[in-house]
Amino acid sequence: QVQLVESGGGLVQPGGSLRLSCAASGSIFSINAMGWYRQAPGKQRELVATITSGGTTNYADSVKGRFTISRDSAKNTVYLQMNSLKPEDTAVYYCNAEALVDPTAWGYHYWGQGTQVTVSS
């Protein structure tokens, strides 16, 4: 009942920047938090950054100081500004949202299809 669509991925040189966007749609009562995860070839999916409905942010140590997560609550959209990109940032980036469809039920996590980010010279 909730769909997430990512955009903004692509090929960039080391030191470059990209801005990812993720828009949530569907029968959404509320969104408690949204975030970004990534999965590199041969590795497990890992947390990159999250932001709560109250604006509290959390970042993986590997991206602190380089990535910034933000949101537009009115549009149910989360962004990830990625600066000073490194080859090790190469991965498929997935959007995640903890959302409530039924106000009387627990929230569930929903995932987007992912967008490829490749950092290479």
Side-chain angles (χ1 to χ4, degrees):
Q1 298 183 56
V2 177
Q3 295 80 44
L4 302 177
V5 180
E6 303 101 331
S7 63
L11 175 64
V12 65
Q13 293 185 330
S17 299
L18 284 174
R19 190 192 191 209
L20 306 183
S21 299
C22 173
S25 62
S27 301
I28 303 172
F29 177 77
S30 66
I31 296 178
N32 296 329
M34 298 185 76
W36 291 94
Y37 295 72
R38 67 186 182 187
Q39 187 168 23
K43 296 185 177 180
Q44 295 185 191
R45 188 173 299 185
E46 64 178 354
L47 182 148
V48 176
T50 60
I51 185 167
T52 69
S53 60
T56 301
T57 59
N58 184 53
Y59 297 91
D61 289 340
S62 60
V63 306
K64 285 182 178 178
R66 300 188 298 120
F67 292 10
T68 302
I69 189 170
S70 61
R71 61 178 171 83
D72 185 337
S73 297
K75 298 180 179 179
N76 286 333
T77 300
V78 65
Y79 306 93
L80 185 68
Q81 179 66 47
M82 304 185 293
N83 299 325
S84 301
L85 284 162
K86 304 174 181 179
E88 48 264 46
D89 294 318
T90 296
V92 176
Y93 284 70
Y94 296 91
C95 179
N96 172 267
E98 181 186 336
L100 290 170
V101 176
D102 184 339
T104 65
W106 296 101
Y108 289 91
H109 285 274
Y110 299 87
W111 294 91
Q113 293 184 329
T115 184
Q116 177 71 49
V117 172
T118 302
V119 184
S120 177
S121 59

